[in-house]
Amino acid sequence: MAGPLFGRRLLIIAGKGGVGRTTVACALGALAARQGKRVLIAQTRSKNRLRELFGVERDFSEVAQVRENLWAVNMTPEASLREYGMMVMHSAFLYRQVFERDVVRAFLRAVPGLYDYAMLGKTWFHTTEQQGGRPRFDLVILDGPATGHILTLLRLPKIILDTIPEGPMTGPARDSWSLLTDPKRCLTVLTTLAEDLPVTETIQLAQGLRELTLPCGPVVVNRLYPPRLHSGLPKLAFDELLRSDSAQSDETLGPVLRAARLHRQRAQLNEHHVARLHKALPLPQLHLPYLFRDSFDQTAIDELGDRLEGQVAALDLSQRAK
Ligand SMILES: Nc1ncnc2c1ncn2[C@@H]1O[C@H](COP(=O)(O)OP(=O)(O)O)[C@@H](O)[C@H]1O
Ligand SMILES: [Mg+2]
């Protein structure tokens, strides 16, 4: 699965809720766009964080440009199903005749996974879309649903291929399954924090992806505390000071030392979980720092993009999880 990360057609950002999937999707997207790729960030049922993150007044229910080389869309289930239905039926008229009758709509809402399948279909469609004789987007980044849901979503084309007789549904299912399982064209980018539960979930998610034969790319470890406290003192002397009872009880020095110790413990905990993750999943890691800011906007995205630049260039994607 060697070759550049941004040479893929689809990157799927997966991970536990709140670990920074949207942030990472945007930082990777902004970086690839800066390197000249035409990038689409496709979100599923997101709460329009793109507006704050990129400072643009759009609702993104349709593909909208965010900045040079960068587009975004917030896929809603109903709109995706409409697009997908039209794609399969090759006619808006037929689609309305079939899908927009109340009885059919009520039926569709009850079919498990159908809306998700439509969003996956729309994502796949954007990887194939042509404009002016070339692909409209070089790279699509799917800001996927949280862990509990992503395997269900990614498994759908396979379920359709295994259960539904050959027909209009199966063509796109076969094409999207062949994209999802081809490491030269598609990788899942697991995103996590270096903490107990997110790392455990990430290891399980990687296992689930492997069972489905879906290829994993690098793991992004987000919100890392700065590794070392630069005290200016040699490490041993500093350790000594942290342990010293008289220094701890000193009125001025005591609180500073306690804060320093807390900081060090926090960073050590991060290091422990980074190592644990690496041991369980021998995939390359991309590390992002905790940014301490009161507003998280496009300057934060670009700062994270800057942090990723050298790491992405140095990535060795020939490593694979066991
Ligand atoms: N590197 C970082 N440093 C500081 N805060 C971050 C970082 N990455 C994400 N966040 C914050 O964490 C929260 C969750 O991020 P988000 O990308 O929305 O997660 P998800 O999409 O996984 O739910 C947001 O408030 C975001 O601003
Ligand atoms: Mg999100």
Side-chain angles (χ1 to χ4, degrees):
M1 72 163 178
L5 184 67
F6 296 152
R8 267 67 187 183
R9 305 306 315 279
L10 176 63
L11 296 178
I12 299 166
I13 314 297
K16 191 171 159 62
V19 299
R21 294 186 320 276
T22 300
T23 307
V24 167
C26 292
L28 285 171
L31 175 61
R34 214 166 63 194
Q35 295 179 352
K37 299 278 180 193
R38 279 158 304 152
V39 184
L40 174 70
I41 298 171
Q43 300 202 296
T44 49
R45 311 177 209 222
S46 162
K47 301 214 178 64
N48 266 328
R49 280 206 59 223
L50 289 167
R51 275 194 226 172
E52 323 152 29
L53 282 178
F54 287 105
V56 275
E57 275 309 315
R58 299 265 173 76
D59 70 354
F60 293 104
S61 54
E62 312 247 322
V63 172
Q65 189 155 14
V66 177
R67 51 162 81 164
E68 193 187 357
N69 285 339
L70 189 59
W71 288 261
V73 63
N74 190 9
M75 299 185 291
T76 59
E78 287 78 10
S80 301
L81 186 62
R82 187 176 337 108
E83 281 182 44
Y84 181 75
M86 283 181 343
M87 207 166 81
V88 170
M89 302 202 154
H90 304 287
S91 148
F93 172 75
L94 260 183
Y95 174 81
R96 280 197 299 274
Q97 294 297 305
V98 178
F99 281 72
E100 292 196 343
R101 291 166 53 192
D102 285 349
V103 46
V104 178
R105 286 238 284 257
F107 168 73
L108 287 178
R109 248 178 257 126
V111 177
L114 186 75
Y115 281 120
D116 287 324
Y117 182 61
M119 288 197 279
L120 193 63
K122 179 172 159 65
T123 307
W124 164 76
F125 166 71
H126 286 305
T127 69
T128 65
E129 215 178 347
Q130 295 281 316
Q131 204 170 57
R134 59 173 193 173
R136 183 176 179 195
F137 305 109
D138 301 306
L139 173 65
V140 176
I141 299 180
L142 174 64
D143 175 9
T147 314
H149 205 64
I150 183 95
L151 287 176
T152 316
L153 176 73
L154 296 177
R155 190 182 282 126
L156 286 168
K158 177 90 173 92
I159 294 178
I160 287 181
L161 287 176
D162 290 347
T163 52
I164 294 185
E166 195 66 37
M169 284 284 267
T170 48
R174 183 165 298 111
D175 289 340
S176 37
W177 188 246
S178 109
L179 172 69
L180 292 176
T181 51
D182 177 1
K184 288 194 222 67
R185 289 188 292 153
C186 174
L187 289 175
T188 297
V189 177
L190 298 165
T191 301
T192 187
L193 307 178
E195 289 171 15
D196 193 15
L197 283 180
V199 165
T200 302
E201 257 193 43
T202 303
I203 295 168
Q204 286 166 354
L205 181 55
Q207 173 75 30
L209 289 166
R210 204 154 44 232
E211 279 159 17
L212 282 176
T213 67
L214 300 176
C216 282
V219 183
V220 178
V221 186
N222 189 26
R223 293 211 306 244
L224 285 166
Y225 281 75
R228 220 157 265 109
L229 196 72
H230 297 287
S231 67
L233 278 176
K235 187 175 179 301
L236 275 177
F238 187 59
D239 285 349
E240 197 75 6
L241 202 56
L242 281 181
R243 275 197 299 269
S244 143
D245 285 340
S246 60
Q248 294 285 339
S249 52
D250 182 274
E251 212 175 301
T252 320
L253 202 52
V256 177
L257 285 179
R258 279 192 290 281
R261 192 157 56 184
L262 204 65
H263 176 102
R264 174 177 282 191
Q265 285 167 337
R266 199 75 185 73
Q268 276 170 347
L269 204 64
N270 269 181
E271 280 164 29
H272 166 75
H273 288 296
V274 162
R276 189 183 138 223
L277 182 65
H278 193 79
K279 189 151 175 264
L281 290 184
L283 290 167
Q285 294 185 1
L286 301 172
H287 289 183
L288 287 176
Y290 204 121
L291 297 186
F292 298 93
R293 289 159 164 261
D294 36 15
S295 80
F296 216 82
D297 55 13
Q298 53 179 329
T299 61
I301 293 300
D302 286 325
E303 186 173 339
L304 294 176
D306 288 343
R307 297 296 192 111
L308 286 170
E309 189 166 14
Q311 300 183 66
V312 167
L315 262 183
D316 175 9
L317 289 176
S318 56
Q319 282 182 63
R320 306 200 68 144
K322 277 184 284 207

